[in-house]
């Protein structure tokens, strides 16, 4: 970039793309990359909102320098200390040592521990304001969206919300920075995967934050990852509202682990039987092939869930085990469940799936199906029973 990009009156985008990191948080695959968004508000006093991950600090500083156009930097607002956003703080303060860092009490504590920061700090609490001339930032503390110190900054004169992780997405900004410059629908899948895996656990806090924003006029949403919403900010707010309410669509996700294809065959049969029962949205995932972050994203929006596994060392296949562990940690609300699998001698796949179901307390729609070795076809009637029970339960759910 390196040339000033004014996305809103007096608001410049100074963020950077990252196409080099394979795993976000060293956990989540990001084949479409990610952006670390940061913003410069130019006014009588200039304010930087957030920085960028340390590995991209060179490009980020060049963007910031270009947007400042030789003017001083007066404030650096740290909405969130997670290093994907605060990772260039040291470099910023080294280049603009006069800048005062703005954050809340917890921010100060965390940047002290992460960066040894003990410089000029302006502490703000919930509802406090910072006037920079024509613009005024009002701070909204939003703990656990996504860390305890997380907050948002709302520019009151134009109604611009700097929302930090909330309303963010995986995926780089490929030339188009804003929702009116591209088809925002192209980001929805990565937005939901980001939500389900990074923010979803804190859905009650997201609801609380949305409640705080109710009635506040928002003309634009500037998150710290992904598209900027200046044409239709209501669209991203309503998506987050739906996901954080955990409203699921009728449909079924089937996720399985299969060593030699026999449990997979059961999954395919179940998928067909569900469609014959009138379930129009069925998605089948091989847990050994698809990263759990993608499967969780699909489960997040889907009411029915059929989990299958062959037996493996008296338990389920480790890739299914990884998925169920993720489900248990995700904060996901109840799903309609069913289990299936396959074994040849002592079993364990279905048994441990049932134990997972008991731990979650989610509703199990029918007894599990467990086939033996390659005798999968003889269990078709029982499979039809499971598919039928799921389809009926989805119908009564409406
Ligand atoms: Fe994008 Fe919680 O950091």
């Amino acid at each position: 970039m390196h040339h000033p990009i004014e996305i809103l009156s007096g608001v410049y985008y100074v963020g950077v793309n990252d196409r080099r990191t394979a795993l976000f948080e060293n956990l989540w695959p990001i084949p479409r990359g990610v952006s670390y968004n940061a913003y410069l508000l130019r006014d009588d006093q200039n304010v930087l909102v957030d920085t960028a991950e340390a590995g991209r600090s060179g490009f980020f500083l060049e963007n910031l320098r270009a947007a400042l156009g030789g003017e001083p930097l007066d404030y650096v607002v740290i909405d969130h200390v997670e290093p994907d956003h605060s990772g260039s703080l040291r470099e910023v303060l080294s280049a603009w040592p006069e800048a005062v860092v703005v954050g809340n009490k917890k921010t100060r504590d965390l940047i002290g521990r992460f960066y040894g920061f003990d410089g000029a700090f302006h502490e703000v609490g919930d509802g406090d304001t910072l006037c920079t001339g024509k613009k005024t930032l009002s701070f909204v503390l939003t703990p656990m969206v996504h860390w305890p110190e997380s907050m948002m900054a709302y520019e009151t004169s134009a109604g611009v919300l700097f929302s930090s992780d909330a309303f963010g997405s995986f995926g780089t900004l490929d030339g188009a920075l804003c929702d009116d410059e591209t088809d925002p629908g192209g980001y929805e899948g990565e937005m939901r995967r980001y939500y389900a895996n990074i923010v979803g656990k804190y859905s009650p806090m997201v609801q609380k934050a949305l409640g705080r924003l109710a009635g506040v006029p928002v003309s634009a949403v500037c998150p710290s990852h992904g598209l900027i919403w200046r044409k239709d900010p209501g669209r991203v707010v309503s998506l987050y509202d739906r996901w954080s309410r955990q409203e699921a669509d009728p449909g079924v996700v089937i996720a399985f682990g299969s060593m030699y294809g026999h449990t997979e065959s059961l999954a395919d049969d179940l998928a067909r039987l569900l469609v014959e029962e009138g379930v129009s949205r069925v998605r089948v995932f091989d847990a050994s092939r698809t990263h759990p972050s993608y499967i969780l994203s699909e489960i997040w929006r889907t009411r029915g869930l059929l989990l299958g596994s062959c037996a493996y060392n008296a338990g389920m296949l480790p890739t299914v085990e990884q998925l169920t562990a993720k489900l248990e940690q995700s904060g996901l609300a109840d799903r309609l469940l069913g289990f299936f699998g396959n074994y040849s001698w002592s079993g364990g796949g279905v048994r441990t799936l049932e134990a997972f179901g008991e731990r979650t307390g989610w509703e199990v729609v029918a007894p599990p199906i467990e086939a033996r070795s390659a005798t999968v076809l003889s269990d078709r009637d029982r499979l039809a029973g499971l598919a039928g029970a799921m389809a009926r339960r989805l119908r009564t759910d409406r």
Side-chain angles (χ1 to χ4, degrees), residues 24 80 82 84-85 146 165 194 224-225:
F24 185 76
H80 180 21
E82 190 163 11
D84 52 333
H85 307 295
H146 152 227
D165 275 350
Y194 172 85
S224 53
H225 301 288

Short mmCIF file of all heavy atoms in Angstrom, two decimals, residues 24 80 82 84-85 146 165 194 224-225, ligand 1:
data_model
loop_
_atom_site.label_atom_id
_atom_site.label_comp_id
_atom_site.label_asym_id
_atom_site.label_seq_id
_atom_site.Cartn_x
_atom_site.Cartn_y
_atom_site.Cartn_z
N PHE A 24 -3.20 -19.18 11.89
CA PHE A 24 -3.54 -18.06 12.77
C PHE A 24 -3.54 -18.57 14.21
O PHE A 24 -4.08 -19.64 14.49
CB PHE A 24 -4.92 -17.53 12.36
CG PHE A 24 -5.36 -16.30 13.09
CD1 PHE A 24 -4.84 -15.07 12.77
CD2 PHE A 24 -6.31 -16.38 14.10
CE1 PHE A 24 -5.25 -13.92 13.43
CE2 PHE A 24 -6.73 -15.25 14.76
CZ PHE A 24 -6.20 -14.01 14.42
N HIS A 80 -7.10 -3.80 21.90
CA HIS A 80 -6.96 -5.22 22.22
C HIS A 80 -5.47 -5.55 22.19
O HIS A 80 -4.79 -5.23 21.22
CB HIS A 80 -7.74 -6.02 21.16
CG HIS A 80 -7.73 -7.50 21.33
ND1 HIS A 80 -7.47 -8.13 22.52
CD2 HIS A 80 -7.96 -8.50 20.43
CE1 HIS A 80 -7.55 -9.44 22.34
NE2 HIS A 80 -7.83 -9.69 21.08
N GLU A 82 -3.94 -8.54 22.22
CA GLU A 82 -3.45 -9.76 21.57
C GLU A 82 -2.45 -9.33 20.49
O GLU A 82 -2.69 -8.37 19.74
CB GLU A 82 -4.60 -10.58 20.96
CG GLU A 82 -4.10 -11.94 20.50
CD GLU A 82 -5.20 -12.98 20.26
OE1 GLU A 82 -6.39 -12.64 20.25
OE2 GLU A 82 -4.83 -14.16 20.09
N ASP A 84 -1.54 -9.98 17.60
CA ASP A 84 -1.84 -9.73 16.18
C ASP A 84 -2.23 -8.26 15.97
O ASP A 84 -2.20 -7.78 14.84
CB ASP A 84 -2.92 -10.68 15.63
CG ASP A 84 -4.19 -10.74 16.45
OD1 ASP A 84 -4.14 -10.49 17.66
OD2 ASP A 84 -5.25 -11.05 15.87
N HIS A 85 -2.54 -7.55 17.05
CA HIS A 85 -2.89 -6.13 16.92
C HIS A 85 -1.91 -5.18 17.62
O HIS A 85 -1.75 -4.06 17.18
CB HIS A 85 -4.30 -5.87 17.47
CG HIS A 85 -5.31 -6.79 16.86
ND1 HIS A 85 -5.62 -6.75 15.53
CD2 HIS A 85 -6.02 -7.83 17.38
CE1 HIS A 85 -6.49 -7.70 15.25
NE2 HIS A 85 -6.75 -8.37 16.35
N HIS A 146 -12.17 -9.95 22.68
CA HIS A 146 -12.01 -11.38 22.84
C HIS A 146 -11.18 -11.73 24.07
O HIS A 146 -11.10 -12.88 24.50
CB HIS A 146 -11.39 -11.86 21.52
CG HIS A 146 -10.55 -13.02 21.45
ND1 HIS A 146 -9.34 -13.08 20.80
CD2 HIS A 146 -10.75 -14.27 21.95
CE1 HIS A 146 -8.83 -14.27 20.87
NE2 HIS A 146 -9.65 -15.01 21.55
N ASP A 165 -11.77 -7.15 17.49
CA ASP A 165 -12.01 -8.48 16.90
C ASP A 165 -13.47 -8.68 16.47
O ASP A 165 -13.75 -9.47 15.56
CB ASP A 165 -11.66 -9.58 17.91
CG ASP A 165 -10.18 -9.95 17.90
OD1 ASP A 165 -9.46 -9.50 16.98
OD2 ASP A 165 -9.76 -10.68 18.81
N TYR A 194 -14.14 -17.68 11.34
CA TYR A 194 -13.45 -16.83 12.32
C TYR A 194 -14.32 -16.73 13.58
O TYR A 194 -13.84 -16.90 14.71
CB TYR A 194 -13.19 -15.45 11.71
CG TYR A 194 -12.67 -14.42 12.67
CD1 TYR A 194 -11.31 -14.31 12.94
CD2 TYR A 194 -13.54 -13.55 13.31
CE1 TYR A 194 -10.84 -13.36 13.82
CE2 TYR A 194 -13.08 -12.59 14.20
CZ TYR A 194 -11.72 -12.51 14.45
OH TYR A 194 -11.27 -11.57 15.33
N SER A 224 -10.89 -5.18 13.26
CA SER A 224 -9.44 -5.31 13.20
C SER A 224 -9.00 -6.46 12.30
O SER A 224 -7.80 -6.71 12.16
CB SER A 224 -8.84 -5.43 14.59
OG SER A 224 -9.47 -6.44 15.31
N HIS A 225 -9.94 -7.19 11.72
CA HIS A 225 -9.63 -8.16 10.66
C HIS A 225 -10.74 -8.07 9.61
O HIS A 225 -11.93 -8.00 9.97
CB HIS A 225 -9.64 -9.61 11.16
CG HIS A 225 -8.67 -9.91 12.26
ND1 HIS A 225 -7.32 -10.00 12.08
CD2 HIS A 225 -8.89 -10.19 13.57
CE1 HIS A 225 -6.73 -10.31 13.22
NE2 HIS A 225 -7.66 -10.42 14.15
FE1 LIG B 1 -7.37 -10.51 16.43
FE2 LIG B 1 -8.05 -11.49 19.66
O1 LIG B 1 -7.01 -10.86 18.25
#
